[in-house]
Amino acid sequence: MSSIKILIADDEERMRRLVADFLKKQGYTVIEADNGMQALKIFIEQKESISLVILDVMMPVMDGWETLRSIRQYSKVPVIMLTAKSTEADELLSFGIGADEYITKPFSLMILLARVQALLKRVNININGKKSFDGLEIDPAAHTVHAGGREIELTPKEFELLLYLCDNEGIALSREKILNCVWDYGYFGDARTVDTHIKKLRLKLGYKGDFIQTIRGLGYKFEVTK
């Protein structure tokens, strides 16, 4: 089974199972949710390991659009909207709040697969779940990091911190948010803990450590620099 994990949310069980079973046959790991609120809860708990999200628009408790808005507060993970709503206004709304793809029902499972593969490729996730950023290779399943072909030994917390930064590539993250997400809300340390770990991480990564940029007065951002 692939380490690439896909979250699917659709209140129509037949449709959800059809898509989930199809993607599982392609080797993906699939998590199912039957409403937007449940999907959001799962995503927040497992966001470091979820590679892509598929959301139905019309769901009870919390619809797909509101779920997408909430997910975008935490991550730039690729999101595909699946919906019977085919108007231009609905499609523009989805893209406006951060959707990466918009597929109307009924649809071809092969087309859905092609979109899934294209999005995963775009965010540098291959079939083994590895992430690649200009010579920096991260394997979440094996818990290994290579920079310029050289294996980098990281502590579990350093690895978790690097993975969190990479999963939020291009997003400016405050020290407090990093502290809460990587050390969790029950941690009673201060923001200097983040600075200390970032410093050690940069040193270990060598020149690839430049990908971790300091945002003055806020925190840090992971961004590939040429």
Side-chain angles (χ1 to χ4, degrees):
M1 184 67 71
S2 167
S3 60
I4 296 179
K5 189 181 294 184
I6 298 174
L7 171 61
I8 299 175
D10 194 323
D11 63 315
E12 186 181 345
E13 184 177 4
R14 184 191 65 81
M15 175 61 70
R16 187 178 72 246
R17 289 288 170 82
L18 179 69
V19 173
D21 289 346
F22 175 75
L23 290 175
K24 287 175 183 177
K25 288 178 181 177
Q26 309 309 312
Y28 296 104
T29 298
V30 179
I31 310 171
E32 298 179 46
D34 59 16
N35 64 67
M37 185 66 75
Q38 183 185 26
L40 181 60
K41 183 175 184 295
I42 291 171
F43 183 79
I44 292 173
E45 292 173 347
Q46 303 185 41
K47 60 182 180 295
E48 280 77 18
S49 64
I50 293 175
S51 302
L52 184 140
V53 179
I54 299 174
L55 297 174
D56 180 39
V57 170
M58 303 307 293
M59 292 187 289
V61 187
M62 178 184 286
D63 66 30
W65 288 319
E66 189 59 34
T67 306
L68 175 58
R69 286 191 184 94
S70 298
I71 285 175
R72 283 291 173 256
Q73 294 178 22
Y74 299 93
S75 172
K76 293 174 67 176
V77 65
V79 176
I80 297 175
M81 305 301 287
L82 290 183
T83 176
K85 297 173 73 64
S86 58
T87 69
E88 182 179 87
D90 291 324
E91 188 169 352
L92 289 173
L93 173 60
S94 295
F95 286 126
I97 58 179
D100 296 276
E101 289 284 357
Y102 187 93
I103 301 177
T104 56
K105 300 176 182 179
F107 57 87
S108 159
L109 288 173
M110 292 305 297
I111 292 296
L112 173 62
L113 176 62
R115 302 285 177 84
V116 166
Q117 291 173 335
L119 282 173
L120 292 175
K121 184 177 181 180
R122 190 186 306 170
V123 295
N124 300 305
I125 302 173
N126 63 27
I127 194 63
N128 296 314
K130 297 177 183 178
K131 303 187 179 188
S132 177
F133 304 90
D134 192 27
L136 177 63
E137 307 284 341
I138 304 168
D139 188 338
H143 243 247
T144 58
V145 175
H146 289 79
R150 177 174 61 94
E151 185 168 359
I152 308 298
E153 292 188 12
L154 300 181
T155 66
K157 190 56 67 177
E158 287 168 350
F159 183 88
E160 189 178 349
L161 173 59
L162 177 60
L163 193 58
Y164 177 70
L165 292 170
C166 292
D167 284 342
N168 291 277
E169 183 185 6
I171 298 177
L173 302 165
S174 69
R175 290 172 174 82
E176 289 72 22
K177 186 166 186 177
I178 294 171
L179 194 66
N180 288 334
C181 292
V182 177
W183 277 264
D184 78 47
Y185 288 90
Y187 181 76
F188 292 102
D190 59 39
R192 286 175 295 182
T193 299
V194 176
D195 295 333
T196 300
H197 279 75
I198 290 287
K199 182 178 180 180
K200 292 179 179 178
L201 193 53
R202 281 172 168 163
L203 285 172
K204 289 185 177 183
L205 293 176
Y207 67 97
K208 298 297 182 184
D210 292 342
F211 293 168
I212 304 173
Q213 301 177 17
T214 300
I215 307 299
R216 194 170 180 179
L218 178 67
Y220 300 95
K221 176 175 68 173
F222 182 89
E223 193 163 67
V224 174
T225 54
K226 298 292 186 179

